[in-house]
Amino acid sequence: MNSDISLPSHRENRFYQGAAATVVANALQAVNFLGDRFLRKSHHSFSAIEDLYRHSMDSAFSVAEAFLVTGAPHASAYYPRDFAWFYPDVLDPETIMDSQDAVRRVRLLEKSVRLLLEAVRADVVTTTIVPAGRGRYLGVNYFSRPSDTLLGILAGLQQMISAEERASSYLAMSQCAHAGRLLLAEYGGDLKRAILKLASELEPFDNDGAGCLLCDARAPRSAATDTRAERRRFVTNACVYTTFVWGLQLGVVDESELKRLLGRDLAQYKRDLLHLFGKDGYIRHSLDGPAGSPVSTIALDFVSVHRGFWDMSDASERALFAATADLVIAEPRFRIPSTFHFLVSAENPRNKMIHKIAAPAYQGRSSWPTFNVEFADRMLDYDEFSGTDTYRACAQGILKDIRTATEVHGGYQELISEQGLKYRTWAYKGAVAHSWFPRFLSVWRRAYGTPLLRWND
């Protein structure tokens, strides 16, 4: 394989959704989980971080893959949100091993983003797209309508278009940027329609005089921790705001169009969200549920996505972030003992029956390394804009412990149990999250000032 890349034209794809599609999609996903449960092969017995990374990248971006996947047991489906939450540094040149690696990444990213845009054109904006063979795809929502699907698609496009802005010798990067601009031109109208539809779905909500527009005022909307089945969540609404901002940055929508639908400009919309969820001086995870102690009402996903909600140049936002972060750091229930691995929440949230069987702590008493990496990155944002070193040591501790866990467990884990072990349930044996690994390297470079790994092309 050389460094040149030809992006293939797409074939005719069809998308389906509805009750019948959901039944079939659930059946296919059940087969995926069962296959993973009984057929997953043991991982390579590497221990050196460089060997683990090389194996992970060869797996994540294999030429045999049809699209970018996580490495989790449910990875036989597309999850559009992942491009915002989990894949923001797929094209960071310092994480790319060689020109062949660059070509593989660009090919998979382009194919994946194109298919997601085709789904938007077909008006299938769901949490999950399940391949059903021969160019057929099923759109299904697990467990509620999404708040972050469009955000993920925009993130994928944005990463493609900005590829050539990073200092790199890989020809594939400039070709990826060109392909991204072509996709934006081809599907920009479809994205605009979907974003304006999302804006029109927001509903007013008043809480003790603090009014705001919410996407989940009356019913849950999913985000990366969607199985909580809660309404009025900070992260779902932060995702919607960020979707609007990225839509503006890419030129997909005009602010005047959004202002007409929202009845306010985006700056005021954001101030309303911060006032509503931060009225107690810290960011509350959800307004849906009884009041409790501060640490019982926050969750680690408040850090939101890379280049997402938080603007640390604003002193009031920094104060809210710091107050929430300090609560997480100081509460022992948020941490795996003797580590800087932070759990999603201090208390396990309510679960539906399927989670009690398959993944009882998936959204609560477990550590998502990817959320920890974003927590570290937001800490570094805070220090950069405040001109201090308030959180750098903690950020470095987070990354150091993730590196240790990666070496101990034989790969970058999707989840770690609250005991610091591989996350294992009957139906979830513990996935190695191959394609999340580059983000870790990017933030490590920022925290320590030097790359963790180096390659010579």
Side-chain angles (χ1 to χ4, degrees):
M1 182 185 299
N2 57 40
S3 60
D4 193 22
I5 176 172
S6 59
L7 299 173
S9 59
H10 66 287
R11 61 182 179 180
E12 182 68 22
N13 294 313
R14 294 183 181 275
F15 298 86
Y16 305 88
Q17 61 182 346
T22 297
V23 170
V24 175
N26 285 336
L28 290 172
Q29 289 292 73
V31 170
N32 293 337
F33 269 94
L34 291 173
D36 178 82
R37 174 65 179 80
F38 295 109
L39 301 177
R40 178 182 286 269
K41 299 178 180 178
S42 60
H43 302 302
H44 287 242
S45 57
F46 303 126
S47 59
I49 193 73
E50 182 172 358
D51 292 335
L52 288 166
Y53 186 77
R54 186 172 295 279
H55 170 66
S56 293
M57 295 304 95
D58 288 342
S59 298
F61 305 109
S62 167
V63 293
E65 294 289 356
F67 53 91
L68 188 56
V69 299
T70 63
H74 49 285
S76 297
Y78 288 75
Y79 292 85
R81 65 180 54 153
D82 287 356
F83 293 93
W85 284 96
F86 306 132
Y87 310 149
D89 279 325
V90 168
L91 299 184
D92 179 354
E94 289 195 0
T95 74
I96 296 175
M97 299 181 296
D98 52 39
S99 59
Q100 292 184 3
D101 187 24
V103 170
R104 292 197 305 262
R105 294 190 193 197
V106 167
R107 280 181 170 157
L108 276 180
L109 185 60
E110 193 276 341
K111 286 196 293 186
S112 301
V113 171
R114 177 180 286 279
L115 186 129
L116 299 179
L117 288 168
E118 291 178 23
V120 172
R121 174 165 289 179
D123 200 25
V124 176
V125 180
T126 59
T127 65
T128 311
I129 298 176
V130 180
R134 291 183 294 182
R136 303 296 189 266
Y137 298 89
L138 309 174
V140 60
N141 289 328
Y142 297 123
F143 298 84
S144 57
R145 297 169 62 207
S147 71
D148 53 357
T149 286
L150 292 174
L151 177 66
I153 296 170
L154 290 171
L157 261 181
Q158 192 175 59
Q159 185 168 185
M160 291 180 67
I161 292 171
S162 63
E164 65 184 358
E165 297 174 5
R166 302 192 183 203
S168 171
S169 60
Y170 301 123
L171 176 61
M173 302 295 250
S174 60
Q175 294 175 327
C176 184
H178 178 66
R181 289 190 292 269
L182 291 178
L183 287 176
L184 181 60
E186 184 176 355
Y187 294 96
D190 304 294
L191 280 171
K192 176 179 180 178
R193 171 178 48 81
I195 292 172
L196 294 180
K197 180 180 178 183
L198 177 62
S200 70
E201 293 171 347
L202 304 187
E203 297 180 308
F205 176 77
D206 183 83
N207 183 264
D208 296 331
C212 191
L213 289 174
L214 299 182
C215 69
D216 54 356
R218 290 188 294 179
R221 295 287 288 255
S222 76
T225 49
D226 58 356
T227 58
R228 293 172 179 272
E230 294 166 317
R231 299 172 299 164
R232 304 161 192 167
R233 294 175 59 207
F234 172 74
V235 67
T236 55
N237 289 282
C239 284
V240 171
Y241 166 81
T242 309
T243 298
F244 296 154
V245 170
W246 288 5
L248 288 175
Q249 291 176 352
L250 285 172
V252 175
V253 294
D254 296 324
E255 186 162 12
S256 60
E257 297 173 299
L258 289 172
K259 185 175 182 179
R260 175 177 55 82
L261 290 171
L262 301 177
R264 65 205 74 187
D265 59 29
L266 285 182
Q268 183 61 50
Y269 172 46
K270 183 176 181 179
R271 285 194 294 269
D272 292 343
L273 288 175
L274 288 171
H275 181 58
L276 181 63
F277 288 94
K279 65 178 183 176
D280 296 320
Y282 58 88
I283 295 296
R284 182 169 175 171
H285 161 71
S286 173
L287 306 176
D288 184 21
S293 66
V295 295
S296 297
T297 58
I298 61 178
L300 190 60
D301 60 9
F302 86 95
V303 296
S304 196
V305 298
H306 173 55
R307 296 180 61 235
F309 183 88
W310 292 99
D311 180 2
M312 296 295 181
S313 64
D314 184 275
S316 63
E317 287 190 32
R318 286 201 304 273
L320 272 176
F321 171 84
T324 314
D326 290 347
L327 287 169
V328 173
I329 293 168
E331 173 53 54
R333 290 177 296 164
F334 259 108
R335 197 180 303 195
I336 295 173
S338 303
T339 74
F340 281 93
H341 283 301
F342 293 97
L343 307 175
V344 174
S345 62
E347 297 175 356
N348 208 43
R350 57 189 174 183
N351 292 309
K352 294 188 176 184
M353 183 60 66
I354 189 174
H355 307 119
K356 293 178 181 179
I357 298 170
Y362 188 70
Q363 310 292 351
R365 303 296 299 161
S366 58
S367 173
W368 288 42
T370 186
F371 283 177
N372 277 264
V373 169
E374 292 308 318
F375 194 22
D377 201 45
R378 296 297 84 69
M379 290 176 175
L380 298 173
D381 287 340
Y382 179 95
D383 284 0
E384 178 182 333
F385 283 99
S386 64
T388 67
D389 275 331
T390 304
Y391 293 113
R392 180 170 295 275
C394 186
Q396 290 175 337
I398 289 172
L399 300 170
K400 181 180 178 182
D401 282 343
I402 290 176
R403 173 184 177 172
T404 299
T406 301
E407 292 175 328
V408 167
H409 298 314
Y412 190 89
Q413 297 297 297
E414 183 187 43
L415 297 167
I416 300 173
S417 77
E418 61 181 305
Q419 291 80 34
L421 305 175
K422 280 187 177 182
Y423 184 84
R424 304 180 77 92
T425 66
W426 185 88
Y428 200 111
K429 295 179 63 177
V432 177
H434 297 314
S435 48
W436 303 0
F437 213 156
R439 177 66 177 147
F440 165 71
L441 291 191
S442 297
V443 180
W444 180 285
R445 171 68 172 81
R446 185 182 184 195
Y448 283 93
T450 57
L452 176 59
L453 301 174
R454 297 177 185 271
W455 298 274
N456 294 315
D457 190 6

